[in-house]
Amino acid sequence: MSTQHICSNADLHSHSCVSDGTLEPEALAARAKANGVELWALTDHDELAGQARARDAALKLGLPYLTGTEVSVTFAGRVVHTVGLGFDMHNEALREGLHSTRGGRGARAQQMSASLAQVGIKDAYEGALKYVGNPELISRTHFARHLVESGVCNDIPEVFRRFLTEGKPGFVPHRWAGLGDAVRWITQAGGIAVIAHPARYPFTPTEEYALFTEFKAHGGLGVEVVTGNHSAADVVKYADMALEFSLLASRGSDFHSPTESHTDLGALPDLPGRLTPVWQALQDRVHHP
Ligand code: AMP
Ligand code: MN
Ligand code: MN
Ligand code: MN
């Protein structure tokens, strides 16, 4: 009943082929279980189509499950990701908000392809499409896979160093959801909004402070402290920020693929003990086997 208090291996951030991961939701559930995850959430970008499959597969394996998504947000002219956890997956306003958020991806992908063509990389749209599992969710990751597969780059990190990011070929500015909209969709669907992988944003300290302040003002309650790309120093920094802003702390690998992700499902350090885990506040939202 109150086992969530002592759950330490929660992994509340991961992607399936319903967005830009490579595994089916069922395969992810099995991998999470095999890796010792005790509470799991699938958090596909801007999309809930994998939720019922992930939950059903997890429960069959005896793995407690929280609903999840990762909403793309534009804040201060940059992309910020907001993870939503423990919401009602049938909530209409949330579903409509995510639908509108992913709506521009097709046209954006065509523009990305045109931009890559200008530096001699032809038919990147068609190439990226080969990796797409959900036609509404073509992402930069699918272009990255194509650029590796076709020999333009050696690996995915090289793609994001040379292409697809601000100032580089293939980058197309895009207007995602507003921060307040994303937080409200999640919260009004009964969930908790969490700032995803905060160390990844190129913000100045002032901008970062503004992000946390506005996120709180909109009703956001959590921050990822332990996540795949956080260093030990990042964990300390965002543990301090969680305490300063009275935010619940989350933990998630951001796993996308067995061959691309350096952090496997559940293979993360523990949350620092001085923090309140977000799953403590979500106990009545957990789907139990
Ligand atoms: P999009 O939502 O289409 O803008 O694509 C964003 C996705 O690209 C992220 O969710 C990551 O999966 C991937 N991505 C972005 N930057 C990097 C990076 N530097 N290295 C690897 N993957 C990245
Ligand atoms: Mn991704
Ligand atoms: Mn993200
Ligand atoms: Mn993610």
Side-chain angles (χ1 to χ4, degrees):
M1 266 256 252
S2 58
T3 48
Q4 277 67 50
H5 281 111
I6 52 160
C7 161
S8 58
N9 200 350
D11 191 329
L12 305 182
H13 190 153
S14 57
H15 298 273
S16 76
C17 59
V18 170
S19 63
D20 61 348
T22 60
L23 301 182
E24 302 284 346
E26 291 80 6
L28 276 176
R31 194 176 182 96
K33 177 71 182 175
N35 287 0
V37 172
E38 298 166 291
L39 177 63
W40 176 51
L42 173 67
T43 55
D44 279 315
H45 298 284
D46 309 322
E47 176 63 278
L48 303 181
Q51 288 305 304
R53 288 173 60 189
R55 179 201 56 199
D56 293 352
L59 298 190
K60 248 184 224 162
L61 292 162
L63 172 61
Y65 185 77
L66 277 171
T67 51
T69 187
E70 183 176 17
V71 188
S72 309
V73 161
T74 301
F75 179 82
R78 310 274 188 175
V79 185
V80 167
H81 284 170
T82 302
V83 162
L85 296 170
F87 49 78
D88 167 16
M89 70 170 86
H90 303 295
N91 182 274
E92 265 313 311
L94 172 62
R95 299 184 76 86
E96 181 47 43
L98 295 180
H99 183 258
S100 68
T101 302
R102 54 180 192 266
R105 281 183 178 270
R108 170 191 184 234
Q110 299 275 10
Q111 291 173 276
M112 287 166 62
S113 189
S115 166
L116 289 169
Q118 285 183 357
V119 295
I121 300 167
K122 303 240 184 318
D123 301 324
Y125 178 77
E126 290 73 15
L129 267 190
K130 288 187 287 182
Y131 298 93
V132 169
N134 172 357
E136 288 188 39
L137 225 295
I138 182 163
S139 96
R140 285 186 290 161
T141 312
H142 302 112
F143 279 84
R145 289 186 185 130
H146 168 64
L147 292 180
V148 172
E149 183 59 32
S150 59
V152 176
C153 295
N154 289 314
D155 55 24
I156 301 247
E158 184 188 337
V159 176
F160 284 97
R161 280 195 302 275
R162 292 177 51 200
F163 303 100
L164 310 183
T165 49
E166 219 171 309
K168 307 285 164 64
F171 180 75
V172 174
H174 191 74
R175 190 155 184 84
W176 301 104
L179 181 65
D181 290 331
V183 171
R184 276 186 293 278
W185 297 333
I186 294 162
T187 307
Q188 290 174 5
I192 286 182
V194 173
I195 298 173
H197 44 64
R200 205 186 287 173
Y201 311 124
F203 287 140
T204 64
T206 307
E207 289 169 331
E208 182 175 67
Y209 201 86
L211 169 65
F212 276 65
T213 304
E214 290 188 33
F215 177 77
K216 278 280 288 191
H218 288 303
L221 293 177
V223 60
E224 272 181 358
V225 174
V226 172
T227 179
N229 70 321
H230 273 187
S231 67
D234 292 333
V235 172
V236 171
K237 173 179 173 182
Y238 291 102
D240 288 344
M241 295 274 281
L243 292 174
E244 179 180 354
F245 284 86
S246 300
L247 291 168
L248 300 161
S250 194
R251 177 179 187 270
S253 57
D254 203 4
F255 181 79
H256 283 70
S257 151
T259 53
E260 295 163 11
S261 299
H262 51 82
T263 304
D264 207 336
L265 281 159
L268 292 158
D270 284 343
L271 271 189
R274 58 200 170 107
L275 305 178
T276 307
V278 68
W279 51 94
Q280 225 169 70
L282 287 165
Q283 284 189 65
D284 62 348
R285 300 294 143 78
V286 175
H287 295 256
H288 286 285

